[in-house]
Amino acid sequence: MPDPSAPLRLLVIEDEAPIRRFLRIVLEGAGHVMDEAARGREGIERAATGAPSAVVLDLGLPDMDGKAVIAAIREWSDVPIVVVSVRSAEAEIVAALDAGADDYVTKPFAPAELLARLRALARRRSAEKVPLVLTNGGLSIDLAARTVTMAGMPVRLTRKEFDVLALLARNAGRLLTHHELLRTVWGPAHLGDSHYLRIAVGHLREKLGDDAAAPRMIFTEPGIGYRFASAE
């Protein structure tokens, strides 16, 4: 199993040379190895030949839109992709995540935030074989028995509430869109039924003692989706 603390081989696909230089200082300063591409097609080729640990991708590329780059890579690879873009509209973020990106960071960004997102993805990839029991702080989720305990006490969940919690916890640290959660838990016919998800998450927070105003486990990205806390 890969060591999540080991240096990552990162491919940066970004057309602006100053930003590539800045990212090289940040990423290599953190001990990682960086490859780079200035155009989308070049980035796709480097992703295919260089076997990166993760891809850092801008959407505004000169030869093709970044979402097309994501779609092309997703045809043959599940390599983690973090979009770093000046585009901050909810529709753009949702479209990139639905195309297959694992996370989205808007410019300008704090280098520590980008590094933290990359570490979270590395941890998730290092545990590709999902354990039967997921733990996070005092929370324990038994995927096989479909039971949940909090600080050793059983938590009674409905089937859908358990499915939402398990999906979020299996992808701890990753932002899941409303559509992805609805499609997986309720099915593709319910992509517009966001109230189902809102109610389920509200019940989960109540039963787990997770305050929406100061969450410890389930974090909301308004208009986009939810992110479960990374297990440290």
Side-chain angles (χ1 to χ4, degrees):
M1 180 178 295
D3 179 359
S5 64
L8 302 175
R9 297 187 311 278
L10 300 170
L11 170 61
V12 171
I13 307 175
E14 163 68 61
D15 65 318
E16 295 189 35
I19 295 178
R20 292 200 306 275
R21 287 195 294 270
F22 171 70
L23 286 171
R24 184 174 292 279
I25 293 170
V26 169
L27 299 175
E28 293 187 348
H32 304 306
V33 178
M34 180 181 140
D35 188 15
E36 63 181 67
R39 301 173 70 86
R41 290 181 177 83
E42 179 190 5
I44 295 169
E45 292 174 1
R46 289 185 178 273
T49 59
S53 305
V55 175
V56 178
L57 172 69
D58 183 28
L59 294 181
L61 299 170
D63 59 335
M64 59 193 300
D65 189 82
K67 293 187 291 296
V69 174
I70 296 169
I73 293 175
R74 282 289 171 259
E75 290 180 0
W76 45 268
S77 175
D78 63 351
V79 61
I81 299 175
V82 178
V83 171
V84 178
S85 175
V86 71
R87 302 178 190 176
S88 59
E90 291 178 4
E92 284 283 359
I93 298 173
V94 169
L97 293 168
D98 281 343
D102 293 272
D103 211 338
Y104 198 108
V105 178
T106 55
K107 299 176 182 176
F109 60 91
E113 178 186 5
L114 177 60
L115 291 169
R117 301 284 181 90
L118 290 168
R119 287 195 300 270
L121 289 172
R123 284 193 295 270
R124 184 165 61 85
R125 282 297 296 273
S126 73
E128 288 179 347
K129 184 178 180 181
V130 178
L132 292 178
V133 179
L134 303 174
T135 58
N136 193 315
L139 177 67
S140 179
I141 307 168
D142 189 320
L143 298 176
R146 294 180 65 84
T147 58
V148 175
T149 60
M150 188 68 190
M153 300 298 294
V155 179
R156 295 178 62 87
L157 301 180
T158 67
R159 182 168 63 88
K160 293 299 187 186
E161 289 167 1
F162 180 89
D163 289 344
V164 170
L165 178 62
L167 181 58
L168 287 169
R170 285 200 305 269
N171 292 277
R174 179 188 168 205
L175 175 58
L176 300 182
T177 67
H178 295 145
H179 279 184
E180 187 171 0
L181 288 159
L182 287 165
R183 182 173 57 246
T184 303
V185 176
W186 281 272
H190 294 280
L191 296 183
D193 295 327
S194 58
H195 59 289
Y196 288 2
L197 181 58
R198 185 172 62 252
I199 292 169
V201 170
H203 287 168
L204 283 172
R205 283 177 166 150
E206 181 180 355
K207 293 177 180 181
L208 298 175
D210 196 38
D211 185 357
R216 295 175 294 105
M217 286 176 279
I218 303 174
F219 296 84
T220 301
E221 298 284 350
I224 301 168
Y226 298 95
R227 184 196 310 274
F228 199 77
S230 297
E232 297 295 343

PDB file of all heavy atoms in Angstrom, residues 177-195:
ATOM      1  N   THR A 177     -20.299  16.357  -4.851  1.00  0.00           N
ATOM      2  CA  THR A 177     -21.369  17.254  -5.283  1.00  0.00           C
ATOM      3  C   THR A 177     -22.731  16.686  -4.915  1.00  0.00           C
ATOM      4  O   THR A 177     -22.894  15.493  -4.662  1.00  0.00           O
ATOM      5  CB  THR A 177     -21.328  17.482  -6.801  1.00  0.00           C
ATOM      6  OG1 THR A 177     -21.634  16.254  -7.468  1.00  0.00           O
ATOM      7  CG2 THR A 177     -19.969  17.985  -7.254  1.00  0.00           C
ATOM      8  N   HIS A 178     -23.723  17.577  -4.897  1.00  0.00           N
ATOM      9  CA  HIS A 178     -25.095  17.139  -4.659  1.00  0.00           C
ATOM     10  C   HIS A 178     -25.492  16.058  -5.666  1.00  0.00           C
ATOM     11  O   HIS A 178     -26.092  15.034  -5.288  1.00  0.00           O
ATOM     12  CB  HIS A 178     -26.053  18.332  -4.792  1.00  0.00           C
ATOM     13  CG  HIS A 178     -25.839  19.391  -3.759  1.00  0.00           C
ATOM     14  ND1 HIS A 178     -26.001  20.727  -4.016  1.00  0.00           N
ATOM     15  CD2 HIS A 178     -25.451  19.310  -2.462  1.00  0.00           C
ATOM     16  CE1 HIS A 178     -25.751  21.429  -2.934  1.00  0.00           C
ATOM     17  NE2 HIS A 178     -25.410  20.591  -1.972  1.00  0.00           N
ATOM     18  N   HIS A 179     -25.163  16.273  -6.945  1.00  0.00           N
ATOM     19  CA  HIS A 179     -25.532  15.300  -7.972  1.00  0.00           C
ATOM     20  C   HIS A 179     -24.879  13.947  -7.728  1.00  0.00           C
ATOM     21  O   HIS A 179     -25.511  12.898  -7.904  1.00  0.00           O
ATOM     22  CB  HIS A 179     -25.156  15.831  -9.361  1.00  0.00           C
ATOM     23  CG  HIS A 179     -26.155  16.785  -9.926  1.00  0.00           C
ATOM     24  ND1 HIS A 179     -26.056  17.314 -11.196  1.00  0.00           N
ATOM     25  CD2 HIS A 179     -27.275  17.318  -9.402  1.00  0.00           C
ATOM     26  CE1 HIS A 179     -27.071  18.126 -11.420  1.00  0.00           C
ATOM     27  NE2 HIS A 179     -27.813  18.148 -10.347  1.00  0.00           N
ATOM     28  N   GLU A 180     -23.607  13.956  -7.335  1.00  0.00           N
ATOM     29  CA  GLU A 180     -22.910  12.692  -7.098  1.00  0.00           C
ATOM     30  C   GLU A 180     -23.547  11.933  -5.946  1.00  0.00           C
ATOM     31  O   GLU A 180     -23.755  10.715  -6.019  1.00  0.00           O
ATOM     32  CB  GLU A 180     -21.435  12.965  -6.815  1.00  0.00           C
ATOM     33  CG  GLU A 180     -20.585  11.714  -6.724  1.00  0.00           C
ATOM     34  CD  GLU A 180     -19.101  12.019  -6.670  1.00  0.00           C
ATOM     35  OE1 GLU A 180     -18.739  13.210  -6.710  1.00  0.00           O
ATOM     36  OE2 GLU A 180     -18.313  11.060  -6.602  1.00  0.00           O
ATOM     37  N   LEU A 181     -23.879  12.632  -4.876  1.00  0.00           N
ATOM     38  CA  LEU A 181     -24.518  11.995  -3.726  1.00  0.00           C
ATOM     39  C   LEU A 181     -25.916  11.500  -4.074  1.00  0.00           C
ATOM     40  O   LEU A 181     -26.293  10.375  -3.724  1.00  0.00           O
ATOM     41  CB  LEU A 181     -24.569  12.978  -2.558  1.00  0.00           C
ATOM     42  CG  LEU A 181     -23.225  13.261  -1.881  1.00  0.00           C
ATOM     43  CD1 LEU A 181     -23.273  14.587  -1.128  1.00  0.00           C
ATOM     44  CD2 LEU A 181     -22.859  12.137  -0.941  1.00  0.00           C
ATOM     45  N   LEU A 182     -26.694  12.336  -4.757  1.00  0.00           N
ATOM     46  CA  LEU A 182     -28.052  11.934  -5.130  1.00  0.00           C
ATOM     47  C   LEU A 182     -28.044  10.761  -6.101  1.00  0.00           C
ATOM     48  O   LEU A 182     -28.828   9.811  -5.966  1.00  0.00           O
ATOM     49  CB  LEU A 182     -28.791  13.121  -5.748  1.00  0.00           C
ATOM     50  CG  LEU A 182     -29.221  14.218  -4.763  1.00  0.00           C
ATOM     51  CD1 LEU A 182     -29.597  15.484  -5.517  1.00  0.00           C
ATOM     52  CD2 LEU A 182     -30.381  13.742  -3.903  1.00  0.00           C
ATOM     53  N   ARG A 183     -27.139  10.803  -7.091  1.00  0.00           N
ATOM     54  CA  ARG A 183     -27.064   9.726  -8.075  1.00  0.00           C
ATOM     55  C   ARG A 183     -26.684   8.404  -7.416  1.00  0.00           C
ATOM     56  O   ARG A 183     -27.257   7.351  -7.725  1.00  0.00           O
ATOM     57  CB  ARG A 183     -26.049  10.084  -9.162  1.00  0.00           C
ATOM     58  CG  ARG A 183     -25.936   9.019 -10.271  1.00  0.00           C
ATOM     59  CD  ARG A 183     -25.057   9.508 -11.406  1.00  0.00           C
ATOM     60  NE  ARG A 183     -23.733   9.879 -10.963  1.00  0.00           N
ATOM     61  CZ  ARG A 183     -23.258  11.110 -10.989  1.00  0.00           C
ATOM     62  NH1 ARG A 183     -23.999  12.109 -11.431  1.00  0.00           N
ATOM     63  NH2 ARG A 183     -22.020  11.368 -10.560  1.00  0.00           N
ATOM     64  N   THR A 184     -25.736   8.440  -6.488  1.00  0.00           N
ATOM     65  CA  THR A 184     -25.255   7.210  -5.874  1.00  0.00           C
ATOM     66  C   THR A 184     -26.249   6.651  -4.868  1.00  0.00           C
ATOM     67  O   THR A 184     -26.482   5.440  -4.821  1.00  0.00           O
ATOM     68  CB  THR A 184     -23.897   7.458  -5.175  1.00  0.00           C
ATOM     69  OG1 THR A 184     -22.975   7.960  -6.137  1.00  0.00           O
ATOM     70  CG2 THR A 184     -23.346   6.172  -4.586  1.00  0.00           C
ATOM     71  N   VAL A 185     -26.848   7.509  -4.063  1.00  0.00           N
ATOM     72  CA  VAL A 185     -27.709   7.039  -2.971  1.00  0.00           C
ATOM     73  C   VAL A 185     -29.154   6.861  -3.410  1.00  0.00           C
ATOM     74  O   VAL A 185     -29.792   5.852  -3.064  1.00  0.00           O
ATOM     75  CB  VAL A 185     -27.620   8.010  -1.772  1.00  0.00           C
ATOM     76  CG1 VAL A 185     -28.593   7.597  -0.662  1.00  0.00           C
ATOM     77  CG2 VAL A 185     -26.189   8.052  -1.227  1.00  0.00           C
ATOM     78  N   TRP A 186     -29.688   7.810  -4.187  1.00  0.00           N
ATOM     79  CA  TRP A 186     -31.095   7.730  -4.564  1.00  0.00           C
ATOM     80  C   TRP A 186     -31.305   7.275  -6.011  1.00  0.00           C
ATOM     81  O   TRP A 186     -32.401   6.859  -6.369  1.00  0.00           O
ATOM     82  CB  TRP A 186     -31.781   9.081  -4.356  1.00  0.00           C
ATOM     83  CG  TRP A 186     -32.138   9.335  -2.931  1.00  0.00           C
ATOM     84  CD1 TRP A 186     -33.291   8.975  -2.295  1.00  0.00           C
ATOM     85  CD2 TRP A 186     -31.351  10.028  -1.949  1.00  0.00           C
ATOM     86  NE1 TRP A 186     -33.265   9.374  -0.986  1.00  0.00           N
ATOM     87  CE2 TRP A 186     -32.086  10.034  -0.738  1.00  0.00           C
ATOM     88  CE3 TRP A 186     -30.111  10.635  -1.972  1.00  0.00           C
ATOM     89  CZ2 TRP A 186     -31.617  10.621   0.430  1.00  0.00           C
ATOM     90  CZ3 TRP A 186     -29.633  11.221  -0.815  1.00  0.00           C
ATOM     91  CH2 TRP A 186     -30.370  11.216   0.371  1.00  0.00           C
ATOM     92  N   GLY A 187     -30.285   7.395  -6.845  1.00  0.00           N
ATOM     93  CA  GLY A 187     -30.417   6.977  -8.231  1.00  0.00           C
ATOM     94  C   GLY A 187     -30.517   8.162  -9.176  1.00  0.00           C
ATOM     95  O   GLY A 187     -30.873   9.280  -8.765  1.00  0.00           O
ATOM     96  N   PRO A 188     -30.210   7.946 -10.480  1.00  0.00           N
ATOM     97  CA  PRO A 188     -30.165   9.051 -11.446  1.00  0.00           C
ATOM     98  C   PRO A 188     -31.501   9.747 -11.671  1.00  0.00           C
ATOM     99  O   PRO A 188     -31.523  10.864 -12.180  1.00  0.00           O
ATOM    100  CB  PRO A 188     -29.668   8.368 -12.731  1.00  0.00           C
ATOM    101  CG  PRO A 188     -29.926   6.916 -12.538  1.00  0.00           C
ATOM    102  CD  PRO A 188     -29.817   6.656 -11.075  1.00  0.00           C
ATOM    103  N   ALA A 189     -32.597   9.111 -11.301  1.00  0.00           N
ATOM    104  CA  ALA A 189     -33.904   9.745 -11.492  1.00  0.00           C
ATOM    105  C   ALA A 189     -34.167  10.832 -10.454  1.00  0.00           C
ATOM    106  O   ALA A 189     -35.155  11.565 -10.564  1.00  0.00           O
ATOM    107  CB  ALA A 189     -35.016   8.697 -11.420  1.00  0.00           C
ATOM    108  N   HIS A 190     -33.285  10.962  -9.455  1.00  0.00           N
ATOM    109  CA  HIS A 190     -33.525  11.904  -8.354  1.00  0.00           C
ATOM    110  C   HIS A 190     -32.489  13.013  -8.294  1.00  0.00           C
ATOM    111  O   HIS A 190     -32.275  13.597  -7.217  1.00  0.00           O
ATOM    112  CB  HIS A 190     -33.544  11.133  -7.029  1.00  0.00           C
ATOM    113  CG  HIS A 190     -34.693  10.187  -6.908  1.00  0.00           C
ATOM    114  ND1 HIS A 190     -35.971  10.578  -6.564  1.00  0.00           N
ATOM    115  CD2 HIS A 190     -34.761   8.843  -7.112  1.00  0.00           C
ATOM    116  CE1 HIS A 190     -36.766   9.534  -6.542  1.00  0.00           C
ATOM    117  NE2 HIS A 190     -36.060   8.463  -6.879  1.00  0.00           N
ATOM    118  N   LEU A 191     -31.846  13.341  -9.414  1.00  0.00           N
ATOM    119  CA  LEU A 191     -30.812  14.371  -9.393  1.00  0.00           C
ATOM    120  C   LEU A 191     -31.354  15.743  -9.008  1.00  0.00           C
ATOM    121  O   LEU A 191     -30.609  16.589  -8.528  1.00  0.00           O
ATOM    122  CB  LEU A 191     -30.111  14.445 -10.751  1.00  0.00           C
ATOM    123  CG  LEU A 191     -29.318  13.208 -11.181  1.00  0.00           C
ATOM    124  CD1 LEU A 191     -28.620  13.464 -12.508  1.00  0.00           C
ATOM    125  CD2 LEU A 191     -28.294  12.829 -10.109  1.00  0.00           C
ATOM    126  N   GLY A 192     -32.641  15.962  -9.212  1.00  0.00           N
ATOM    127  CA  GLY A 192     -33.231  17.254  -8.864  1.00  0.00           C
ATOM    128  C   GLY A 192     -33.817  17.303  -7.469  1.00  0.00           C
ATOM    129  O   GLY A 192     -34.293  18.360  -7.034  1.00  0.00           O
ATOM    130  N   ASP A 193     -33.771  16.200  -6.757  1.00  0.00           N
ATOM    131  CA  ASP A 193     -34.407  16.129  -5.438  1.00  0.00           C
ATOM    132  C   ASP A 193     -33.405  16.473  -4.334  1.00  0.00           C
ATOM    133  O   ASP A 193     -33.133  15.669  -3.430  1.00  0.00           O
ATOM    134  CB  ASP A 193     -34.987  14.729  -5.208  1.00  0.00           C
ATOM    135  CG  ASP A 193     -36.117  14.407  -6.171  1.00  0.00           C
ATOM    136  OD1 ASP A 193     -36.858  15.346  -6.538  1.00  0.00           O
ATOM    137  OD2 ASP A 193     -36.256  13.235  -6.548  1.00  0.00           O
ATOM    138  N   SER A 194     -32.864  17.685  -4.398  1.00  0.00           N
ATOM    139  CA  SER A 194     -31.827  18.074  -3.441  1.00  0.00           C
ATOM    140  C   SER A 194     -32.366  18.126  -2.015  1.00  0.00           C
ATOM    141  O   SER A 194     -31.581  18.022  -1.060  1.00  0.00           O
ATOM    142  CB  SER A 194     -31.223  19.417  -3.828  1.00  0.00           C
ATOM    143  OG  SER A 194     -32.221  20.420  -3.889  1.00  0.00           O
ATOM    144  N   HIS A 195     -33.704  18.272  -1.858  1.00  0.00           N
ATOM    145  CA  HIS A 195     -34.254  18.318  -0.505  1.00  0.00           C
ATOM    146  C   HIS A 195     -34.098  16.975   0.206  1.00  0.00           C
ATOM    147  O   HIS A 195     -33.979  16.933   1.428  1.00  0.00           O
ATOM    148  CB  HIS A 195     -35.730  18.733  -0.534  1.00  0.00           C
ATOM    149  CG  HIS A 195     -36.610  17.834  -1.342  1.00  0.00           C
ATOM    150  ND1 HIS A 195     -36.560  17.794  -2.719  1.00  0.00           N
ATOM    151  CD2 HIS A 195     -37.556  16.933  -0.963  1.00  0.00           C
ATOM    152  CE1 HIS A 195     -37.453  16.921  -3.163  1.00  0.00           C
ATOM    153  NE2 HIS A 195     -38.049  16.375  -2.120  1.00  0.00           N
TER     154      HIS A 195
END
